[in-house]
Amino acid sequence: MGTPQLTKNQSLVMGALAHSDGPMSAYTILDKLRDQGFRAPLQVYRALDKLLEYGLVHRLESLNAFVACTCPHEHEHDHGVTAFTICEGCGQVTEFHDEAIEQRLSALVRAQSFKTEKTTIEIRGHCKSCA
Amino acid sequence: MGTPQLTKNQSLVMGALAHSDGPMSAYTILDKLRDQGFRAPLQVYRALDKLLEYGLVHRLESLNAFVACTCPHEHEHDHGVTAFTICEGCGQVTEFHDEAIEQRLSALVRAQSFKTEKTTIEIRGHCKSCA
DNA sequence: ATCGCACACGTTATAGCATAACGCAATTGA
DNA sequence: TCAATTGCGTTATGCTATAACGTGTGCGAT
Ligand SMILES: [Zn+2]
Ligand SMILES: [Zn+2]
Ligand SMILES: [Zn+2]
Ligand SMILES: [Zn+2]
């Protein structure tokens, strides 16, 4: 396992996200990559699916948009529950992780006999600069 | 403040959600209400906006769908951070609240000098019956 | 009363997000 | 060599959400 060599399309999408200030929708990515030969949404969505699978990219559900993961991916760690703050002002997204929240959620869910597959935590608001 | 008398459209949408087993998309609600005279998405979205504002309904971001709030609304309490488990098998959604998570998130966010406006916590997986 | 305003409503059109279904090409491994 | 897998390209379609316009109704201020 781990992260295989990216294909051309996957690299292009990854590059677009990595060099972006903030999150991008699939269609915004498409527009950025028209010059590199992208023509259709599926080219983007298929690349995103893989990048999500590899853990290189996260999807922001409340925005229908995508961001590059900001964790170090050197060591192959599964980075558990991911949470985000999302500034409504400047669009800045900050990824963070917290063991305490992860464990508390895990306990609450276990009490329901629920089996977690994916956890979404997104906090919308305003960052320090935009307050 | 509080919950004003609902308009006809708001009542119809609220009723549809309240009597539904699980979450419904706006377009599913529209279809359910065609017999009561609904014709266009905006009739649903406008009602939903108000119901969300009154706290009678929640939006599930990871599903682009809506559920009736299951908290008692007798006493006018603002019910803080709301979290959901969402079963991929049967569609069952369970709303829950936890003070510990709320406080921990609050602390983490404060450390970023971030000002929270809305918090989304959604856990996708399988419920006890669908495991 | 009547003016002005806020608000709900109805309608049409459009924008934005995501996937189905087809076929082709390259790779891999039995 | 054959079959299976994976990535790719294209067209068409479906689902989600809002813009923009106009109507009507209730209600307080003048
Ligand atoms: Zn990450
Ligand atoms: Zn900001
Ligand atoms: Zn609730
Ligand atoms: Zn279930």
Side-chain angles (χ1 to χ4, degrees):
Chain A
M1 242 222 75
T3 301
Q5 186 62 25
L6 298 185
T7 67
K8 179 156 182 268
N9 284 3
Q10 287 160 20
S11 295
L12 286 166
V13 170
M14 190 66 221
L17 279 173
H19 294 106
S20 166
D21 279 347
M24 297 171 90
S25 77
Y27 279 76
T28 303
I29 294 170
L30 174 58
D31 287 339
K32 296 257 185 215
L33 295 179
R34 292 216 184 265
D35 292 346
Q36 337 304 322
F38 274 50
R39 317 297 320 253
L42 264 198
Q43 296 176 275
V44 179
Y45 281 110
R46 290 205 270 230
L48 284 172
D49 283 346
K50 286 299 180 185
L51 296 172
L52 288 167
E53 181 186 327
Y54 303 152
L56 298 175
V57 161
H58 297 290
R59 174 181 170 81
L60 300 174
E61 300 289 353
S62 68
L63 243 40
N64 295 326
F66 305 84
V67 283
C69 176
T70 56
C71 297
H73 271 83
E74 337 294 341
H75 21 13
E76 296 294 342
H77 66 134
D78 183 11
H79 60 262
V81 174
T82 306
F84 303 90
T85 51
I86 303 170
C87 177
E88 312 272 5
C90 61
Q92 176 185 102
V93 171
T94 303
E95 174 177 350
F96 63 97
H97 303 268
D98 185 73
E99 192 65 25
I101 287 182
E102 191 162 346
Q103 295 196 358
R104 181 78 182 148
L105 268 184
S106 166
L108 289 166
V109 155
R110 198 166 40 243
Q112 288 181 33
S113 299
F114 190 93
K115 185 83 162 48
T116 296
E117 264 133 43
K118 175 160 196 301
T119 300
T120 298
I121 302 179
E122 298 177 16
I123 303 174
R124 307 281 293 265
H126 285 86
C127 76
K128 186 171 186 171
S129 312
C130 297
Chain B
M1 242 221 72
T3 302
Q5 185 62 26
L6 299 184
T7 68
K8 179 157 182 271
N9 284 5
Q10 288 160 20
S11 294
L12 286 167
V13 170
M14 190 65 222
L17 280 173
H19 294 106
S20 165
D21 279 347
M24 297 170 90
S25 77
Y27 280 76
T28 303
I29 295 169
L30 174 58
D31 287 338
K32 296 257 185 216
L33 295 179
R34 292 218 184 262
D35 292 346
Q36 338 305 320
F38 273 50
R39 316 296 322 248
L42 263 199
Q43 296 176 273
V44 178
Y45 281 109
R46 291 205 269 233
L48 284 171
D49 283 346
K50 285 300 181 182
L51 295 172
L52 289 166
E53 181 185 326
Y54 303 153
L56 298 175
V57 161
H58 298 289
R59 174 184 170 80
L60 299 174
E61 300 289 353
S62 68
L63 243 38
N64 294 327
F66 304 84
V67 284
C69 176
T70 55
C71 296
H73 270 81
E74 338 293 343
H75 21 13
E76 297 295 343
H77 67 134
D78 184 10
H79 61 262
V81 174
T82 305
F84 304 89
T85 52
I86 301 170
C87 177
E88 312 272 4
C90 62
Q92 177 185 104
V93 171
T94 302
E95 173 178 350
F96 62 98
H97 303 270
D98 185 75
E99 192 65 24
I101 288 182
E102 190 162 347
Q103 295 194 359
R104 180 78 182 147
L105 268 184
S106 166
L108 288 166
V109 155
R110 198 166 40 243
Q112 288 181 32
S113 300
F114 190 92
K115 184 84 161 50
T116 296
E117 265 132 42
K118 177 159 193 303
T119 300
T120 297
I121 303 180
E122 298 177 16
I123 302 174
R124 306 281 293 265
H126 285 87
C127 76
K128 185 171 186 170
S129 312
C130 298

